[in-house]
Amino acid sequence: AAVASPGSGLRYLPPINPAQKRQRSRSATAGAFATTRRQPRAAVACRRPHRVEAAAAARDSGGSGDSSHCSGGVRSRKRLAVFVSGGGSNFRSIHEATAAGGKASSGDVVALVTDKPGCGGAEYARRSGIPVVLFPRSKSAPEGVPTAQLLNALRDLRVDFVLLAAYLKLIPSELVQAYPRSVLNIHPSLLPAFGGKGYYGLKVHKAVIASGARYSGPTVHFVDEQFDTGRTLAQRVVPVLADDTPEQLAARVLHEEHHVYVEAVAALCEDRIVWREDGVPLIRTQTNPDAYA
């Protein structure tokens, strides 16, 4: 039986049986999430600090460095909602990195939001037991939820950060305002070049090659109320070869996306992002709090 979700107005429903795949679009309930047997953990047992962390803990506590660097013996894990519109390869990279021992193991993916319920990212989420919500509501997706209901659901799930991973809709201003400096996106060019409305997928790489640019690469940036204009957090440079096709360039850029986005998410979850007085975000390295990546 469906169980009401407090405050969100949404219902958590059992996962869709593969045999019912063709009936999904008919049977989808407005704003329904797929039930997960394994609920995301809000905290994880604290391990003994690594050498650098132990030294910092010792300085802070005046001890020998054997004391835990986590209050009460547990470390808070950040709760992540990922938005996708397609295959979701960046989503999968992030989800895998949040596993024990992964590069982003200080975070948990607790929801997948999509405007395309049959996309690869949504299918992966269902297989992984991650709740899926359809947003926004539209003529082609009447079962989608409105903005207010989405915000209630994210609050109900105690989401800390929102990550866009090839989500093609403009994020509503209400969401940006509800999560200040807490929404990230990845774009397949070196912003501010080749960004903005209409620049997505192979269109970006075709434009890069046609321009004669010698370099391209992914950009991780904070999200504001426009397409691709938020503050840059991290970039990777990829050479554009003389005989590149858009597909070849896209493959090399995507390879770097999977690395740079995971690193940025890890920094976000570990509170290693600092803001300069001029509003530029910087990532502290894991080993030296006075150095920046």
Side-chain angles (χ1 to χ4, degrees):
V3 180
S5 172
S8 68
L10 303 180
R11 293 185 298 160
Y12 292 79
L13 301 178
I16 296 174
N17 189 301
Q20 298 174 317
K21 184 175 181 181
R22 295 182 179 178
Q23 300 298 324
R24 184 179 298 116
S25 60
R26 299 178 184 176
S27 61
T29 303
F33 285 109
T35 298
T36 62
R37 290 186 178 180
R38 185 182 303 171
Q39 294 298 326
R41 294 178 296 171
V44 65
C46 179
R47 298 187 296 270
R48 185 180 299 276
H50 295 296
R51 182 174 300 175
V52 173
E53 294 171 329
R59 288 195 303 269
D60 294 341
S61 64
S64 64
D66 290 334
S67 60
S68 171
H69 66 296
C70 304
S71 175
V74 295
R75 178 175 59 191
S76 174
R77 294 170 65 90
K78 305 301 183 182
R79 298 169 66 82
L80 312 172
V82 185
F83 287 47
V84 305
S85 291
S89 65
N90 274 304
F91 162 49
R92 292 196 297 272
S93 293
I94 291 168
H95 180 243
E96 291 168 359
T98 61
K103 289 185 176 180
S105 57
S106 294
D108 284 310
V109 177
V110 298
L112 186 284
V113 180
T114 183
D115 60 321
K116 300 182 183 298
C119 70
E123 294 292 347
Y124 174 85
R126 293 187 184 99
R127 291 195 302 270
S128 303
I130 298 171
V132 175
V133 64
L134 182 60
F135 174 82
R137 177 178 293 172
S138 64
K139 291 182 179 179
S140 60
E143 66 272 32
V145 299
T147 299
Q149 199 170 351
L150 174 66
L151 288 173
N152 285 338
L154 297 180
R155 294 188 186 104
D156 187 47
L157 290 166
R158 294 180 288 115
V159 167
D160 296 298
F161 300 114
V162 172
L163 311 174
L164 311 186
Y167 183 73
L168 302 183
K169 298 290 186 180
L170 183 65
I171 296 300
S173 59
E174 295 92 334
L175 179 60
V176 176
Q177 293 165 9
Y179 287 88
R181 292 183 172 180
S182 299
V183 184
L184 286 182
N185 181 46
I186 189 161
H187 183 78
S189 74
L190 296 174
L191 293 175
F194 308 104
K197 186 175 182 179
Y199 278 104
Y200 60 89
L202 285 180
K203 292 183 179 181
V204 173
H205 307 296
K206 289 178 180 178
V208 169
I209 292 172
S211 75
R214 301 303 194 264
Y215 296 95
S216 188
T219 299
V220 178
H221 66 94
F222 283 92
V223 173
D224 58 18
E225 297 177 3
Q226 305 297 324
F227 281 112
D228 305 327
T229 57
R231 290 288 192 171
T232 294
L233 178 63
Q235 292 181 317
R236 288 285 184 90
V237 175
V238 174
V240 180
L241 306 182
D243 58 350
D244 258 341
T245 66
E247 291 79 8
Q248 290 170 333
L249 179 58
R252 293 203 309 281
V253 171
L254 183 62
H255 176 77
E256 296 301 326
E257 287 182 35
H258 294 164
H259 293 287
V260 71
Y261 209 0
V262 165
E263 291 172 1
V265 170
L268 195 65
C269 292
E270 295 166 7
D271 297 322
R272 290 190 288 110
I273 296 176
V274 296
W275 292 79
R276 283 192 335 209
E277 292 182 358
D278 59 358
V280 173
L282 302 171
I283 297 177
R284 293 187 188 274
T285 65
Q286 290 180 309
T287 56
N288 184 352
D290 296 321
Y292 299 92

